[in-house]
Amino acid sequence: MERIPEPGLLPRLADRSARIAIVGLGYVGLPLALTFCRRGGLAALGIDVDPEKARAIAAGRSYIRHVDAGAIAGAVRGGKLEATTDFARASGCHAVVICVPTPLTREREPDLSFVVGTGEALAPHLRPGHLVVLESTSYPGTTEEVLRPVLERGSGLVAGRDFLLAFSPEREDPGSGIATHTIPKVVGGMTPACLEAALALYASSFERVVPMSTPRAAEMTKLLENVFRSVNIALVNELKMLCHRMGIDLFEVIDAASTKPFGFMPFQPGPGLGGHCIPIDPFYLTWKAREFEFQTRFIELAGEINAAMPRYVVQRTMEALSDRGRALRGARVLVLGISYKRDVDDMRESPSVRIIELLQERGAEVVYHDPYVPRVPHMRQHRLDMVSVPLTDEALEGADVVLVATDHSTIDYARVVERARLVVDTRNACKGIRAGRDRIIQA
Ligand SMILES: NC(=O)c1ccc[n+]([C@@H]2O[C@H](COP(=O)([O-])OP(=O)(O)OC[C@H]3O[C@@H](n4cnc5c(N)ncnc54)[C@H](O)[C@@H]3O)[C@@H](O)[C@H]2O)c1
């Protein structure tokens, strides 16, 4: 017989006295914690293994560019937000939401060590009545097959009977300006009571919740969303390469196709995929599919095409230089934009990094400018010891080629084209610029 154990989360949500622990205060966890405080009027306790994050929050500082420091400071002052490295403090909360990283291993297999590590750290502090929600993106089955046994083993409690367990995929779009609480929250609970509690938690702070039959279906929903993006981006990247050969401007074609009021959704080609999600998440599904003797061919093909794009950009750059009697070896290349997408400081999986490495391997002298990334941070699989150079006239005029890898909106591209000898544009950032058009090559 299923029962919702004490102390009930639901009455605590109703009178706004619930305390919510958020484990992992990164791009996902920090905005979520603020949403619970600001929209739901709930108290949020952030738990992170990184003590610097707890210190920053206590001081009202933001370490994520698009998260407002004032909002953090206000929530801390109002007694609604606190952060710690101490997992034992989760026992004083009514719900725990897990937002830790889910990367791939070197062999491109799911690395669930952060989820397992969090489960192990949390389990001794789990109490009857707790709701645990996993938000980290992973393959269908993770909540019940991976997290559940870790929590049960470490706590001696049983999911669905003593504590509540659910999955709710995170849908943050950093830098887009879309407020977290306006993005509908998909929720799948292990039992009807798990679902009811998780729906109530999110309904306290989000405009819309979307109940699902199981955690697995909710896990699959997130992967569908990301596979959909990866496959469609690969499609336009492939068409871009064809259009270059055919002398057609694909961006113009996409704009025209977008006028169709039904059945078409525009995706933009680029220098490859970046970020923590789209290049990684589809491979979680590929890996799980093997257990069912199933090969996810669309995902793998899209991955291949997208992963080859940095190489294609470098090839186009080499050809553009060669057309002007210049070799890539020894050429000075100024890369504009090194974060993975416009107006963010996030470098994870950024294709610019691979482009720079390929340029350097071919003997080019590379510098970069990025207003959001003053210095290339330490990365797990790359080592680029570089700092952003100022975007002076001398820097633009002194480069043999300026390669626009990320189209930050603060950059004056007309000036770039005016000063540069050659511009290789992977993002259509120079759209509409007439003067100096013959110096712009799309890649
Ligand atoms: N960033 C996005 O835009 C985005 C979008 C959709 C989904 N996601 C998913 O959300 C999850 C989190 O991503 P993110 O971008 O917030 O990652 P992140 O790297 O920005 O943040 C993760 C945080 O977790 C902390 N952490 C790591 N291990 C921990 C542990 N054992 N216990 C406590 N804290 C720990 C890290 O210190 C870090 O602060 C991932 O599964 C990701 O795929 C992210």
Side-chain angles (χ1 to χ4, degrees):
M1 236 302 252
E2 186 181 279
R3 62 188 165 89
I4 303 176
E6 290 302 312
L9 168 71
L10 298 180
R12 294 284 195 161
L13 286 171
D15 69 12
R16 311 264 157 193
S17 65
R19 281 189 304 278
I20 317 300
I22 291 102
V23 184
L25 291 172
Y27 285 87
V28 170
L30 182 57
L32 179 68
L34 286 170
T35 303
F36 282 136
C37 302
R38 287 157 63 93
R39 306 294 311 182
L42 307 174
L45 173 72
I47 304 179
D48 203 293
V49 287
D50 177 1
E52 181 44 42
K53 299 225 162 76
R55 276 197 289 274
I57 286 174
R61 257 189 294 120
S62 177
Y63 44 86
I64 297 178
R65 210 188 64 82
H66 62 274
V67 175
D68 177 33
I72 298 176
V76 170
R77 258 197 321 274
K80 290 292 185 197
L81 177 65
E82 219 193 317
T84 178
T85 55
D86 182 7
F87 277 81
R89 299 228 11 231
S91 68
C93 295
H94 302 95
V96 184
V97 183
I98 301 174
C99 312
V100 294
T102 42
L104 293 174
T105 63
R106 273 188 190 281
E107 294 72 39
R108 299 198 74 70
E109 293 190 344
D111 175 0
L112 287 177
S113 59
F114 298 92
V115 172
V116 171
T118 298
E120 286 168 349
L122 207 53
H125 311 294
L126 211 57
R127 287 186 300 130
H130 264 150
L131 165 68
V132 179
V133 187
L134 180 64
E135 286 216 3
S136 303
T137 309
S138 187
Y139 55 76
T142 304
T143 306
E144 286 168 281
E145 295 163 16
V146 179
L147 182 59
R148 176 187 176 175
V150 173
L151 292 175
E152 289 185 341
R153 229 181 2 254
S155 67
L157 302 174
V158 176
R161 190 192 72 188
D162 304 322
F163 70 95
L164 305 153
L165 186 60
F167 180 82
S168 177
E170 174 294 325
R171 282 169 156 172
E172 192 66 21
D173 185 10
S176 68
I178 301 174
T180 305
H181 72 277
T182 63
I183 304 172
K185 207 80 181 83
V186 164
V187 183
M190 217 189 88
T191 65
C194 297
L195 177 63
E196 187 192 5
L199 284 174
L201 170 65
Y202 290 111
S204 72
S205 308
F206 286 75
E207 284 178 359
R208 190 172 159 216
V209 289
V210 183
M212 296 202 67
S213 58
T214 57
R216 290 156 59 85
E219 287 160 337
M220 189 67 166
T221 303
K222 174 72 188 181
L223 291 180
L224 168 63
E225 292 166 8
N226 284 354
V227 168
F228 175 78
R229 285 191 64 74
S230 169
V231 165
N232 280 288
I233 292 168
L235 174 66
V236 286
N237 277 336
E238 187 174 69
L239 291 179
K240 173 177 83 167
M241 295 187 279
L242 172 64
C243 283
H244 287 159
R245 283 203 197 174
M246 296 176 81
I248 296 169
D249 178 355
L250 178 63
F251 290 103
E252 184 193 353
V253 173
I254 293 170
D255 283 351
S258 302
T259 61
K260 186 179 176 187
F262 50 87
F264 183 79
M265 180 184 282
F267 283 82
Q268 303 301 325
L273 286 184
H276 184 11
C277 298
I278 320 287
I280 292 175
D281 302 346
F283 293 99
Y284 269 70
L285 192 55
T286 298
W287 181 86
K288 187 67 177 174
R290 277 190 227 129
E291 190 181 309
F292 297 84
E293 293 177 26
F294 192 93
Q295 203 194 340
T296 52
R297 286 180 293 166
F298 261 113
I299 295 177
E300 276 156 65
L301 180 59
E304 251 173 61
I305 293 174
N306 289 326
M309 292 317 291
R311 212 167 266 280
Y312 177 73
V313 168
V314 170
Q315 182 66 31
R316 288 279 290 179
T317 307
M318 198 145 56
E319 286 167 7
L321 281 166
S322 155
D323 286 347
R324 286 156 181 78
R326 192 86 178 83
L328 180 59
R329 180 163 297 281
R332 279 160 303 183
V333 184
L334 169 57
V335 172
L336 271 192
I338 193 169
S339 66
Y340 85 88
K341 73 169 180 179
R342 179 195 297 178
D343 299 343
V344 301
D345 56 0
D346 193 345
M347 285 285 295
R348 290 177 293 180
E349 307 286 321
S350 174
S352 304
V353 173
R354 189 70 195 119
I355 289 171
I356 291 174
E357 284 176 343
L358 289 167
L359 290 168
Q360 288 175 335
E361 281 167 22
R362 283 157 185 71
E365 282 174 35
V366 189
V367 291
Y368 83 93
H369 171 79
D370 192 311
Y372 301 108
V373 187
R375 166 181 292 278
V376 177
H378 172 76
M379 287 172 286
R380 283 205 307 171
Q381 290 171 14
H382 305 272
R383 201 163 295 260
L384 284 186
D385 194 12
M386 296 174 80
V387 292
S388 173
V389 298
L391 196 60
T392 57
D393 287 350
E394 293 73 41
L396 288 167
E397 286 161 5
D400 292 297
V401 53
V402 177
L403 197 165
V404 182
T406 307
D407 52 343
H408 291 309
S409 59
T410 48
I411 290 175
D412 177 357
Y413 294 100
R415 175 177 158 244
V416 170
V417 175
E418 189 190 315
R419 297 286 168 187
R421 293 180 220 176
L422 172 64
V423 179
V424 171
D425 184 2
T426 69
R427 301 278 192 172
N428 206 24
C430 302
K431 181 182 179 178
I433 296 174
R434 293 276 152 259
R437 192 82 220 150
D438 56 327
R439 294 197 293 278
I440 307 170
I441 301 290
Q442 288 197 348

